[in-house]
Amino acid sequence: MTITIVGGGASGFMAAITAAERFPDACITILEKSRTVLNKVRISGGGRCNVTHRHHELRHFIKNYPRGEKLLRKLLPHFDADATVAWFEKRGVQLKTEADGRMFPTSDSSHTIIECLIKTARNLNIEIRTSVHVDSFEKTGDAFQLKLVNGEPILTDRLLIATGGYPRAESFDWLEEHRHVIVPPLPSLFTFNTPDNYLLPLAGVAVKDAWVKISGTKHEWRGPLLITHWGFSGPAVLKLSAWGARDLAEKNYHFTCRINWLPEMKEQEVRDFLLAEKNNTAKQQIASHARFGLPSRLWKAFTEKAEIPDTLRWGDASHKVLNRMTELLTNSQYEVKGKTTFKEEFVTCGGIALADIDPETLQSRSLPGLFFAGEVMDVDGITGGFNFQNAWTTGYIVGKNIGL
């Protein structure tokens, strides 16, 4: 039996290795159009590779997938985060867990993961071909005829598409022509551009906890927030962008976001605190000493926005001034005009509609022998290792079933 895998990424390698171990007589080939394989693994986590996320109870873990939750509820019990950790440890790669739940190799290098996958594949006699671009394929009898861009034909018994997400709908044409519904691809995991934001000079300043909401929608998220040269980033914004991907695209990425910089306090509690400071520290200058544990530069920016002179003391602050500070701290509003991809970690929502795929095997419902894995399907997770876990899980499921 011949098995051909289009796409040399995480899901493709996991599928190839699992299939080689399950079906040792199969001849397995990975085709990758780039000059190197596992490119997303290489850049993930700033070159450290965020392999997965600390295991949680299934019902909590799947809540990190804006799209594909129902499918992964079926698949994760067969290969979850614990199974991923065990899989790599069995092959000599130890993983560690950081405070936020993200898991990385103890080497802090993505090359550790890449070397593990390539070495394991080669030990199983899996052929890895790079700079090979598949143009199209046809089903001929029980086999698939692949045509490469250079005209070379390849015949295979089983075919796995593990190409990852495409940024443009037309990139899916070669799959759509085989009666597969394509959910239009859109960016997920992106930062917010706020060109008129008075906080832009504070690029690099971060807060550990903020609440961010998209005005006029139900989308909101709470977590660490980072001010950038272009606007806002950090887990709170990235996760919010994933959940709101389609709604924000409909708005053409022009919308208002509201930020509560003190989410643990109610608005009245913040107001009462500021009024208490007026009495308790009457002689101290407001702008000189940050409150609420906020970074001093951020506090200073808020006081300037509230039109508080550097020399104004707490005791001389009017209630109107303190109300302006309360509003800035608990309900700041910023106009978003565009987005920026998060580093090099491009993630899309959309792809092959899950209704077209058997949820037990990930085989195409319309074309037996054709399988899908990873982000080419309409599955995507928030930042933190969840997209890689989707790749490992779906790759494993395909690998166990593709040779049957």
Side-chain angles (χ1 to χ4, degrees):
M1 175 186 293
T2 54
I3 298 172
T4 300
I5 295 166
V6 182
S11 61
F13 266 81
M14 178 59 79
I17 292 168
T18 304
E21 293 174 341
R22 178 82 185 273
F23 310 105
D25 294 331
C27 181
I28 302 173
T29 303
I30 295 174
L31 305 179
E32 169 56 49
K33 71 177 181 179
S34 300
R35 288 181 295 177
T36 55
V37 294
L38 299 164
N39 293 313
K40 251 190 178 177
V41 171
R42 182 173 290 104
I43 64 176
S44 165
R48 298 166 61 212
C49 188
N50 185 182
V51 176
T52 186
H53 199 91
R54 179 179 58 232
H55 178 70
H56 290 289
E57 190 177 343
L58 177 62
R59 64 191 176 94
H60 295 304
F61 199 91
I62 59 174
K63 293 300 181 183
N64 294 285
Y65 293 91
R67 287 148 291 270
E69 175 185 332
K70 185 177 179 181
L71 175 68
L72 289 171
R73 187 183 292 116
K74 290 177 177 288
L75 302 184
L76 279 167
H78 299 285
F79 197 85
D80 59 10
D82 281 347
T84 298
V85 173
W87 193 93
F88 280 103
E89 286 184 346
K90 181 181 178 182
R91 291 159 181 82
V93 177
Q94 300 292 317
L95 302 182
K96 62 178 180 179
T97 306
E98 301 203 336
D100 59 4
R102 294 181 301 162
M103 300 194 71
F104 296 87
T106 55
S107 65
D108 277 328
S109 173
S110 60
H111 290 291
T112 303
I113 303 299
I114 293 171
E115 290 169 3
C116 170
L117 292 168
I118 292 177
K119 179 181 177 181
T120 302
R122 286 178 172 159
N123 287 343
L124 291 166
N125 297 315
I126 296 167
E127 183 181 6
I128 303 170
R129 295 183 59 185
T130 57
S131 300
V132 177
H133 191 171
V134 177
D135 180 61
S136 60
F137 67 89
E138 295 291 340
K139 184 81 180 283
T140 55
D142 292 331
F144 292 88
Q145 177 88 35
L146 278 67
K147 181 182 177 182
L148 306 187
V149 169
N150 64 8
E152 176 189 348
I154 295 177
L155 199 64
T156 187
D157 298 311
R158 300 285 189 274
L159 178 61
L160 166 62
I161 307 299
T163 52
Y166 291 115
R168 296 180 300 276
E170 54 267 28
S171 300
F172 285 94
D173 287 350
W174 68 300
L175 300 175
E176 190 173 28
E177 68 184 39
H178 293 286
R179 296 170 301 186
H180 293 106
V181 174
I182 305 299
V183 179
L186 291 170
S188 182
L189 292 186
F190 49 84
T191 63
F192 296 170
N193 294 351
T194 55
D196 303 322
N197 184 358
Y198 65 94
L199 297 178
L200 294 184
L202 276 63
V205 171
V207 296
K208 294 182 179 179
D209 190 19
W211 174 80
V212 188
K213 179 177 174 59
I214 307 302
S215 295
T217 76
K218 63 182 179 181
H219 301 299
E220 59 185 70
W221 203 274
R222 180 177 169 179
L225 181 68
L226 173 68
I227 301 169
T228 72
H229 291 290
W230 300 274
F232 296 113
S233 184
V237 167
L238 294 169
K239 293 175 182 180
L240 183 57
S241 75
W243 285 99
R246 296 209 171 276
D247 288 341
L248 299 184
E250 288 181 6
K251 296 177 181 292
N252 198 28
Y253 307 104
H254 283 207
F255 54 89
T256 299
C257 78
R258 294 165 50 201
I259 300 179
N260 182 349
W261 299 90
L262 305 172
E264 290 191 351
M265 300 179 70
K266 296 179 180 179
E267 181 181 337
Q268 189 57 47
E269 290 176 327
V270 174
R271 184 176 289 106
D272 290 344
F273 179 91
L274 296 180
L275 288 170
E277 291 297 276
K278 178 179 171 66
N279 297 321
N280 298 334
T281 58
K283 295 183 178 181
Q284 192 176 87
Q285 293 174 339
I286 299 174
S288 299
H289 298 85
R291 298 298 196 264
F292 306 106
L294 291 173
S296 57
R297 293 175 64 202
L298 181 59
W299 176 262
K300 183 67 164 55
F302 288 149
T303 61
E304 290 177 357
K305 185 67 174 177
E307 300 177 359
I308 296 174
D310 288 349
T311 56
L312 184 66
R313 301 177 188 277
W314 280 101
D316 298 325
S318 67
H319 283 241
K320 185 177 180 180
V321 163
L322 298 183
N323 283 336
R324 282 205 298 266
M325 276 298 288
T326 300
E327 181 71 9
L328 287 170
L329 291 167
T330 62
N331 190 31
S332 286
Q333 299 192 37
Y334 306 91
E335 189 175 358
V336 177
K337 298 178 180 178
K339 58 175 174 51
T340 300
T341 300
F342 177 56
K343 298 181 180 178
E344 298 89 356
E345 298 183 29
F346 188 84
V347 175
T348 60
C349 63
I352 302 294
L354 299 185
D356 289 356
I357 302 171
D358 184 329
E360 303 292 334
T361 63
L362 300 183
Q363 184 171 205
S364 166
R365 292 188 187 276
S366 61
L367 213 56
L370 174 65
F371 294 77
F372 299 99
E375 206 183 320
V376 73
M377 302 185 292
D378 186 24
V379 179
D380 64 287
I382 62 176
T383 183
F386 297 102
N387 284 300
F388 270 128
Q389 187 56 54
N390 169 47
W392 310 130
T393 298
T394 55
Y396 175 84
I397 295 298
V398 169
K400 297 289 276 189
N401 291 283
I402 197 168
L404 298 177

